[in-house]
């Protein structure tokens, strides 16, 4: 087997800079804070950090509206602070990848300011301008996708908020400017990029209108109220139809090839991971993205053995078919855009047990795992109760639109907004049971409220000291993964593929075979491995047992307890 690259064996950890650690007590996370926490991250055992945008931004979309691609947001520190952070990370063998937002800039970016200033300035064609809105396209965040600009007496296109105008990637100067920005950070030594919303870079050149009989606000409201299976199916169809002409269009592959060629000029196996589940963006396996996320795994109400097996077959089969080199999987169960794992996949009864199973799943499946900060201590979604607290502007937009435009009662609107906004999963990291969870000092007003459950053990410090904590569990599992060649690079072989209660599989490398059993039910499950050839004359050496099993003989038939996680090496006698 060829040696794996660092990004194939690494466990990635996503840092949301605004919420990770506040080093200067202004209520907002920053590089000083992150740097102080690097020892914590190293001790957790992760190998690479993905930083959500840290660039200057007016923050209409929490940093995803960038006004300078070659600098650091003042609230996060200076370029020097970033360099210190990078050097300190590398010292601890932690790689660092940045967020790369190609589709759009902030409307305050000097490129856009110039572009909108007249119809004939040098950057006039850097964004997508039209004399009149050519169609009924919607922005996926705030209503119409075409916004009027009086300076040019024209409309510009934006897939996201109106403060996030889409760049015109058909213009070679745009490409050059963006590639220069990319090199700026690569030259500094960053290890790669996570590519934001790459599917939205190009639009249907025919500008074909959507056919959904409602606008964005109406569709959101329709989705909120959809209850019957027919309504749910219809709203899914509508979401797809509303935006299908605005993403996934031709042109992205060529662009990814160019970008990959730039990364490949650098030493150190710099890497690209796309915010997309489309394996086609990995090109022939060598010429586009290194990884795309396995989002279908997490796009489900419930994670069940059946769902995982189906997902794995589909993904792994497709990854095998890339023409030059097989694709490598990449699994995640949450990020800054989605409900927290603990909340999203809990059942309100066994949330903690399920969170542990999901952690074990993501750390034992074949492929590179991405964890989201706070997952390791079981942070949960936090529902805001007052519109003045909402920072995710797409949420605020929705609230005001349904209250003023549709007459929805403010209380109901707030409940809906709290659920749909991404603020719920972006609250500050909970470091201790000190006031403000140790994120900022006591009297500081943090940028989003702290989830009060930090007082109930959902914080790093308490969990450090508790051998049975989730944090210690993550650390242990990450170590088990690191010490196992099968878990890092082995093939995936499903076992007992029709059982509904538990998910059992083997990971097999040249050196090692590992059995993983995740009992997804609250019942004892009896496992019979008699017919599996791998278990002929074999014994099991326990690598990890949530039930604290000790080494011993395991007959091919044995019982796994409710929600048990069992990981063992298969030793042939
Ligand atoms: C995807 C990012 O993850 C999300 O947070 C952001 O709002 C959009 N892309 C727009 O950049």
């Amino acid at each position: 087997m060829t040696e794996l690259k660092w990004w194939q064996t690494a466990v990635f950890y996503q840092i949301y800079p605004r919420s990770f650690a506040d080093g200067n007590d202004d209520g907002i996370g920053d590089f000083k804070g992150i740097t102080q926490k690097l020892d914590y991250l190293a001790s957790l055992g992760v190998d690479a950090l993905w930083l959500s945008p840290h660039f200057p931004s007016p923050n209409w979309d929490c940093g995803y509206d960038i006004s300078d691609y070659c600098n650091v947001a003042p609230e996060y520190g200076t370029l020097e602070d970033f360099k210190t952070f990078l050097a300190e990370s590398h010292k601890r063998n932690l790689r660092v990848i940045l967020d790369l937002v190609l589709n759009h800039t902030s409307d305050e970016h000097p490129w856009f300011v110039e572009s909108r200033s007249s119809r004939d300035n040098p950057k006039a064609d850097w964004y997508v301008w039209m004399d009149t809105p050519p169609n009924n396209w919607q922005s996926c965040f705030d209503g119409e996708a075409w916004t009027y600009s009086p300076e040019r007496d024209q409309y510009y296109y934006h897939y996201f908020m109106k403060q996030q105008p889409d760049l015109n990637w058909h213009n070679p100067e745009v490409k050059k400017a963006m590639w220069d920005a990319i090199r700026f950070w690569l030259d500094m030594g960053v290890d790669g990029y996570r590519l934001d919303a790459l599917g939205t870079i190009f639009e249907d050149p025919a500008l074909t209108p959507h056919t959904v009989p409602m606008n964005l606000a109406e569709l959101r409201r329709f989705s909120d109220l959809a209850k019957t299976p027919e309504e749910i199916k219809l709203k899914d169809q509508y979401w797809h139809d509303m935006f299908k002409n605005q993403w996934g269009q031709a042109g992205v592959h060529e662009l990814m090839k160019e970008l990959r060629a730039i990364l490949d000029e650098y030493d150190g196996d710099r890497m690209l991971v796309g915010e997309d589940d489309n394996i086609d963006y990995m090109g022939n396996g060598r010429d586009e993205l290194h990884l795309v996320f396995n989002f279908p795994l997490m796009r489900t109400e419930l994670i069940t053995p059946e769902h995982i097996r189906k997902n794995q077959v589909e993904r792994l089969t497709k990854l095998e078919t890339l023409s030059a080199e097989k694709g490598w999987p990449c699994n995640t169960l949450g990020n800054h855009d989605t409900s927290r794992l603990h909340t999203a996949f809990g059942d309100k009864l066994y949330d903690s047990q399920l969170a542990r199973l999901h952690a074990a799943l993501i750390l034992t499946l074949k492929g590179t795992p991405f964890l989201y900060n706070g997952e390791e201590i079981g942070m949960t979604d936090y529902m805001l109760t007052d519109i003045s607290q909402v920072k995710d502007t797409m949420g605020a937009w929705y609230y005001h639109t349904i209250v003023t435009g549709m007459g929805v009662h403010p209380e109901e609107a707030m409940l809906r907004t709290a659920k749909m906004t991404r603020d719920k999963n972006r609250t500050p990291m909970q470091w201790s049971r000190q006031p403000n969870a140790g994120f900022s000092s006591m009297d500081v007003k943090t940028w989003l409220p702290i989830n009060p459950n930090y007082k109930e053990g959902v914080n790093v410090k308490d969990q450090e000291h508790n051998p049975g904590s989730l944090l210690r569990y993550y650390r242990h599992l990450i170590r088990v993964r690191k010490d196992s060649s099968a878990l890092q690079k082995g093939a995936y072989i499903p076992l007992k593929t029709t059982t509904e209660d538990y998910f059992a599989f083997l990971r097999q490398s040249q050196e090692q075979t590992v059995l993983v059993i995740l009992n997804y039910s609250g019942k004892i499950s009896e496992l019979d491995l008699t017919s599996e050839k791998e278990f002929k004359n074999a014994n099991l050496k326990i690598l990890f047992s949530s039930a604290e099993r000790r080494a011993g003989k395991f007959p091919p038939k044995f019982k796994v307890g409710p929600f048990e996680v069992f990981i063992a090496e298969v030793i042939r006698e």
Side-chain angles (χ1 to χ4, degrees), residues 399-416:
Y399 174 90
H400 292 300
T401 308
I402 59 176
V403 170
T404 48
M406 295 181 192
V408 174
H409 192 281
E411 225 170 273
E412 192 208 327
M414 189 58 224
L415 281 177
R416 301 279 176 199

Side-chain angles (χ1 to χ4, degrees), residues 283-287 321-326:
N284 68 10
R286 227 181 258 159
D287 61 353
T321 62
L322 306 192
S323 59
E325 208 167 287
K326 287 178 189 167

Side-chain angles (χ1 to χ4, degrees), residues 61 64 104 141 160 194 196-197 275 336-337 422 426:
D61 185 15
Y64 283 89
H104 50 271
F141 280 1
F160 296 97
R194 171 263 191 190
D196 185 70
E275 190 212 6
H336 66 294
D337 288 331
R422 299 163 297 173
R426 296 175 175 177

